[in-house]
Amino acid sequence: MLSNIPVARAGVTGASVGRPDGVSRRRVEFRAPDGVQLVGHLRVPPGNAGPRPAVVVSNAMTSVKEQSVNAGYAQRLAAAGFVTLAFDQCGFGESGGLPRLHEDNQRRLDDLHIAVSYLTGLPSVVDPERIGVIGVSIGGGLALNLTAYDPRVRAFVAIAAGLLNPARARELMPTYQDMLADQTSLLRRYHRTGALDYIPVVRTPDVPDDQPVLFDNPIATEYYGTPRGAAPNWRNRVSALSLRTILVDDTRTAADTIGPGAGLLIVGDQDVATLPEDHQAVHDRLTGPKRLEILPGVHHNDLYDQAAVGTAADLAADWFTTHLR
């Protein structure tokens, strides 16, 4: 089946890699309208069933395709019968684009639209009328937004999702105004000089105590700062201006305009990073088919690479089976 996938513009696709479950994985390249090359892993289920439903996979913040979305969700959903596309967002991992290692939710959302267009250009492999999206952490909020703004996407699954808008961010962050002022100063400098300051994503033993980091908390460190989150294409480095996307971008209000898109939200009841009450609030605002699963005893990072991933992936597969008919 993967032999039918066209060579990407200005690049070639990699060799197909077979898996014990019969899933084939190929490195693929596709381009944004501005010429930036995006690199992903396309997985195709075993067999010759013809065009299949497909799921775009949306990464956690600063993550690359080999991390939390990889075997846990992209591979499991492919084994369940869905074509999946996990890819590096612009500026991260193997993908091109400048500035490097800079988080921008609007650009990430653009990348997700481009990924949908890529999938719809594979008519022998993908049924363009049956496309969904799954996302983890910030990627979960963007999965919701993609479904609201792209009618080609019929269903989403948001897992331990970042579901903020500026109003909610102000409620949760006592120093919000000071943080926004600091980020605005960095933005002013970037606009004037084109230069970005870079900081570690998390604090590790080699990071001085007085060095600012993007996520200065044990939740992020236990994944990104340990071998659990190690990946060849990931670096413990990100632009200091990346925090601004959490403060000012909206991954929540799209719930009011998502229309008929079907939404499943999954979160652990012990998640103090992306709160269960935020998932409940978004669930209550959805107007299409919807479901909320709050998993007992599960923390945020458990839904990256621990046993809870199996539960979440099974729920996602059932959801997509129902709503991508």
Side-chain angles (χ1 to χ4, degrees), residues 137-138 140-148 156-165 168 172 250-259 261-267 274-294:
S137 196
I138 289 292
L142 293 172
L144 180 151
N145 279 242
L146 181 70
T147 310
F156 76 89
V157 176
I159 298 172
L163 298 169
L164 296 181
N165 57 20
R168 180 58 173 156
L172 294 174
D250 188 344
T251 56
R252 183 174 187 147
T253 309
D256 296 332
T257 58
I258 206 164
L264 168 63
L265 300 108
I266 303 171
V267 66
T274 55
L275 302 172
E277 53 262 42
D278 288 330
H279 290 71
Q280 181 70 63
V282 167
H283 172 268
D284 292 345
R285 293 163 71 162
L286 294 173
T287 56
K290 59 184 179 180
R291 181 176 175 183
L292 172 63
E293 288 285 342
I294 300 178

Side-chain angles (χ1 to χ4, degrees), residues 267-324:
V267 66
D269 68 351
Q270 302 300 307
D271 193 334
V272 297
T274 55
L275 302 172
E277 53 262 42
D278 288 330
H279 290 71
Q280 181 70 63
V282 167
H283 172 268
D284 292 345
R285 293 163 71 162
L286 294 173
T287 56
K290 59 184 179 180
R291 181 176 175 183
L292 172 63
E293 288 285 342
I294 300 178
L295 305 181
V298 171
H299 297 78
H300 183 77
N301 290 348
D302 293 341
L303 287 163
Y304 281 33
D305 63 344
Q306 301 299 299
V309 169
T311 300
D314 288 345
L315 288 167
D318 289 345
W319 189 254
F320 288 132
T321 297
T322 300
H323 296 286
L324 298 182

